[in-house]
Amino acid sequence: MKFEAVLFDCDGVLVDSEPITNGVLRDMLEEAGWKLSAAECMRLFIGKAVKDEIAVIEANTGQPLTEQWLHEFRGRRNEALVEGLLPIRGAVEAVAQIHTLYEGRIACASGADRFKVELQLEKCGLMPSFQGRIFSGHEMPRSKPAPDVYLAAAAALGIAPHRCAVVEDTVAGVTSGVAAGATVFGYSPPEAGHDAPEALRQAGAMAIFTDMAVLSNLLAAR
């Protein structure tokens, strides 16, 4: 195999969380005075940590974004995820197959906070494949699009970044993987919550795919 390890993003790659999280965010921004459509909210915030967008939110709401607001957002977000989160179609099967093929050399490297990532992996039956190999951008000096979380995941696995494949669905995530020196595969199905194929290519994704069922063969072919 060309690659020695596979590093997965979480939101939009393993779990279908973006519409849920962005729905909560859109509602709370409207309550604060910034009205956005669901599509506008997706375009502005997909692939980004809310904590890193404080200046943008404050500029558009005209009020400070407090720690209390962030705490409420995370609470409402977590409740919505517990109620309605599902895995990405085919992700559970694809991860299990790749976990076996790569003898456990896989990791989840997310820009989200650890509590959210672990909640989602547990709910969707993915935790057994990633236990002990979960990395959060909130725990790094810089989150995506900086490469820190992917560099940390590769180092923990003992694999050089250029020998790793990264699976991402947003421009910020692809940029992060490319900056780490990995080869990035862009997941871009037609459903809402993922960046468009051309945007992922321009960010540096080597290949684009729309169905998790083809991922293991795609990795083997490159």
Side-chain angles (χ1 to χ4, degrees):
M1 292 183 292
K2 176 179 177 180
F3 303 108
E4 295 180 23
V6 183
L7 314 178
F8 292 85
D9 177 39
C10 186
D11 298 287
V13 168
L14 299 174
V15 300
D16 194 15
S17 56
E18 295 288 12
I20 297 172
T21 297
N22 275 269
V24 172
L25 178 60
R26 194 213 68 82
D27 289 349
M28 289 190 64
L29 291 175
E30 183 168 334
E31 291 164 12
W34 185 14
K35 189 169 184 176
L36 292 167
S37 69
E40 287 170 334
C41 193
M42 285 275 198
R43 179 177 56 80
L44 287 169
F45 294 102
I46 190 171
K48 301 174 183 176
V50 173
K51 71 178 182 64
D52 294 334
E53 302 301 310
I54 289 175
V56 173
I57 294 172
E58 290 180 340
N60 284 276
T61 61
Q63 53 186 291
L65 195 157
T66 64
E67 195 59 41
Q68 181 179 352
W69 190 95
L70 285 170
H71 180 76
E72 182 183 352
F73 165 69
R74 290 173 186 144
R76 288 169 61 171
R77 174 203 70 187
N78 293 344
E79 288 177 6
L81 290 169
V82 168
E83 182 178 343
L85 183 67
L86 294 171
I88 289 290
R89 178 174 49 86
V92 175
E93 297 81 3
V95 165
Q97 184 179 20
I98 291 167
H99 183 273
T100 298
L101 288 171
Y102 287 82
E103 299 179 335
R105 295 187 305 277
I106 69 172
C108 178
S110 172
D113 58 275
R114 178 172 293 275
F115 184 88
K116 177 174 184 262
V117 178
E118 293 184 347
L119 179 157
Q120 295 181 143
L121 295 179
E122 287 280 8
K123 179 167 175 58
C124 291
L126 288 156
M127 183 59 86
S129 293
F130 291 107
Q131 187 73 55
R133 297 179 307 282
I134 298 167
F135 302 85
S136 164
H138 281 228
E139 299 168 3
M140 305 294 150
R142 303 168 298 172
S143 194
K144 299 176 185 180
D148 301 33
V149 71
Y150 281 119
L151 292 174
L157 292 175
I159 308 295
H162 73 275
R163 298 293 297 161
C164 295
V166 161
V167 186
E168 271 286 358
D169 74 316
T170 68
V171 168
V174 171
T175 302
S176 174
V178 170
T183 299
V184 182
F185 293 78
Y187 177 61
S188 184
E191 295 85 6
H194 315 270
D195 280 336
E198 188 53 36
L200 299 183
R201 287 192 190 94
Q202 289 181 1
M206 187 197 68
I208 305 295
F209 68 107
T210 61
D211 185 348
M212 280 293 167
V214 308
L215 180 56
S216 61
N217 288 336
L218 187 61
L219 292 168
R222 297 287 172 168

